[in-house]
Amino acid sequence: MNEQQAIDRAEEIIHQAVDGMSPQPKLERMGGAPVGACTARDDHGPDDRVQVTVVYKLTGVPGAEAQNLVRQARDAWLKQGHKHNTSGEVDWAGPFPAVYMRTESDDFWMDAVTGVLDRAKGEGLASLKVTSPCFLPPGKASAASSADPAALEAPPTDDPAARRALGHSSRIYDALGVSAAPTQPGEGLSTVRGGAGAWVHHTWSTVPLAQEEGARAVTRAQAYFRSDGWSVRPIPAPQDAPALAAGHPVDHTVAQVAVSATGAVRVAVTVPGADGPASADA
């Protein structure tokens, strides 16, 4: 995806909500340039990616119609197959509801909200916002951004531990069933040496996911581990951020799979090196 494709898709989602509305509002663009820095990271680290945010207010209709327009936007998006974001609760009993949704196919996030114009009269002003997934700008794009993360790293020559780590990552990727994000600073292959020997680490993450989708991905990973004979235990974490650790019964690899604050599923695979420890427990 590039900037223009992201803008075009955001505009399409806006018009999916507006074109069939009655009364028909006018679209008035809010804000300046739609492209800004990616805000998906939860560790405040550097990130070269950007994302598009398009916001319109719906004008030219009575303020009393604002709630109706939000409801119509919700209905139109549902008809297109888009999904509710479970973090948004709709209070239709009040005069100023808000709807939070996402596109399941390409992970654009959108909301329809009612700003207050006259609280006493229950009049508001509806607005629509669409935010794209993060993507790399020209010159930084990588065709491998949504590929199997094992393909993003070339294993060191003749390093069987690195090849094992990448192999495990590839199978975990298949089990999760969602796209990998571009490699972030601090992710990838690394070797750590200590008093007990050396370990090879491979770390990577998926694209940000809705809460329920992330939980389902972790559940699929858990099912894979158990079917393949790994020992599995949960890692203490908030209820909306499931996490687990798994230990391989043969090569003593340890894997951790956890949902982060951004909604991305983060994966870490640790393999004993040639001079590493003989065993590891999950």
Side-chain angles (χ1 to χ4, degrees), residues 115-173:
V116 179
L117 290 180
D118 189 325
R119 187 173 295 277
K121 296 180 179 179
E123 294 184 350
L125 177 66
S127 65
L128 305 179
K129 180 174 75 173
V130 176
T131 301
S132 77
C134 296
F135 57 93
L136 289 168
K140 295 182 180 293
S142 169
S145 62
S146 62
D148 180 334
L152 303 178
E153 302 286 349
T157 304
D158 299 326
D159 187 343
R163 290 197 294 271
R164 286 199 304 274
L166 293 173
H168 285 305
S169 278
S170 181
R171 289 183 285 275
I172 294 169
Y173 168 79

Side-chain angles (χ1 to χ4, degrees), residues 188-217:
L189 277 173
S190 62
T191 300
V192 177
R193 299 186 181 276
W199 294 263
V200 173
H201 295 282
H202 185 227
T203 56
W204 54 279
S205 55
T206 72
V207 295
L209 305 171
Q211 179 180 323
E212 292 181 353
E213 189 176 357
R216 287 195 296 268

Side-chain angles (χ1 to χ4, degrees), residues 42-77:
D42 62 348
D43 59 3
H44 307 290
D47 196 324
D48 291 331
R49 294 176 300 161
V50 295
Q51 62 189 153
V52 162
T53 301
V54 175
V55 187
Y56 284 99
K57 57 183 177 181
L58 308 185
T59 64
V61 298
E65 292 290 340
Q67 183 191 88
N68 181 34
L69 297 182
V70 169
R71 189 187 295 271
Q72 290 185 64
R74 185 277 311 266
D75 292 345
W77 283 334

